[in-house]
Amino acid sequence: MDLSGEVTAALRLLGDVSKTEQAKYQEVLQKVTEDIAKDIPANNSAPQPAGEEDGEVSRCHAALATLFLEAVRDSHNVTVITSVLEDLNWPSERISEATKAVESHRNAIQSKLSSLGTFPPHIVDIDWKLSYQVRSSDGEEGGAAMYLVTLHTEESRGKRGKITFSCSLAQLTHLVTRLRQASRCVQKYASNS
């Protein structure tokens, strides 16, 4: 499991019995599991645990939540989580409590991760029409062909949207070329993995 240096350092601090007493560890573990178990509205930020002024408790809270989320997202089992925590010199009692918390909340975490919708909208259809500008509002000769393009998109949870723009023939040709290049890159990476 790949964790950043900051997360690793905070987890190491949380697992260190000489620096983080058992009561403080229990408080952080309980707060993380509460935050995972309850629904937080999208417009509210997650409540921060009460702690020291320097933010050690908050960093430990964020690191433990990151561990839980990464473990569930990548479908890591208890053995992998235990191995990561052992590498960070956690005592076996704390490892056992943390793995039990992950396993007891695995379904809730999976549910929340699936509802995040972090993917950009997918293009599901396209409408276009050719528009020809004969004369501008200033009375000047136009003579420019413009394409009116509407991209129909689908976001997570089936929500539909539209993106509309106009472009010249040269711009449309450039867009189509770039989309073909992107498609080839995706196919190349998909076939290599």
Side-chain angles (χ1 to χ4, degrees):
M1 183 179 329
D2 290 330
L3 299 171
S4 71
E6 187 175 327
V7 170
T8 303
L11 285 173
R12 191 170 275 124
L13 174 67
L14 186 61
D16 189 348
V17 179
S18 65
K19 294 181 181 174
T20 306
E21 59 194 43
Q22 184 65 18
K24 189 62 73 176
Y25 168 76
Q26 290 292 336
E27 178 187 337
V28 170
L29 180 64
Q30 179 183 359
K31 187 68 174 156
V32 168
T33 54
E34 285 175 5
D35 290 346
I36 288 172
K38 69 180 177 182
D39 289 329
I40 299 172
N43 56 356
N44 291 344
S45 60
Q48 294 296 317
E52 302 168 12
E53 292 77 30
D54 65 352
E56 284 182 0
V57 173
S58 295
R59 284 194 301 274
C60 291
H61 177 274
L64 190 60
T66 300
L67 175 74
F68 284 12
L69 293 170
E70 290 293 321
V72 172
R73 185 191 71 167
D74 296 334
S75 300
H76 291 304
N77 59 17
V78 174
T79 308
V80 174
I81 300 167
T82 301
S83 173
V84 168
L85 295 176
E86 284 174 347
D87 290 345
L88 297 173
N89 300 322
W90 275 41
S92 59
E93 178 186 314
R94 289 188 181 184
I95 292 173
S96 174
E97 291 172 349
T99 55
K100 284 178 187 174
V102 170
E103 288 306 309
S104 65
H105 293 90
R106 185 173 289 272
N107 291 336
I109 297 170
Q110 285 173 336
S111 171
K112 285 191 178 190
L113 286 174
S114 67
S115 70
L116 286 178
T118 58
F119 297 105
H122 298 283
I123 298 172
V124 293
D125 197 10
I126 185 169
D127 292 328
W128 63 274
K129 66 180 178 178
L130 178 62
S131 177
Y132 192 80
Q133 182 179 1
V134 177
R135 192 176 293 268
S136 72
S137 61
D138 300 347
E140 296 178 13
E141 292 279 329
M146 296 297 290
Y147 289 88
L148 302 174
V149 181
T150 301
L151 302 175
H152 299 274
T153 61
E154 185 174 325
E155 300 173 11
S156 62
R157 299 183 185 171
K159 186 178 174 184
R160 296 285 179 140
K162 289 183 180 180
I163 300 172
T164 304
F165 60 93
S166 63
C167 59
S168 67
L169 177 60
Q171 291 170 327
L172 185 61
T173 304
H174 181 70
L175 174 65
V176 170
T177 303
R178 296 296 301 230
L179 288 173
R180 285 183 180 150
Q181 289 173 347
S183 176
R184 283 193 294 270
C185 285
V186 168
Q187 289 173 354
K188 177 181 147 187
Y189 289 125
S191 65
N192 288 341
S193 58

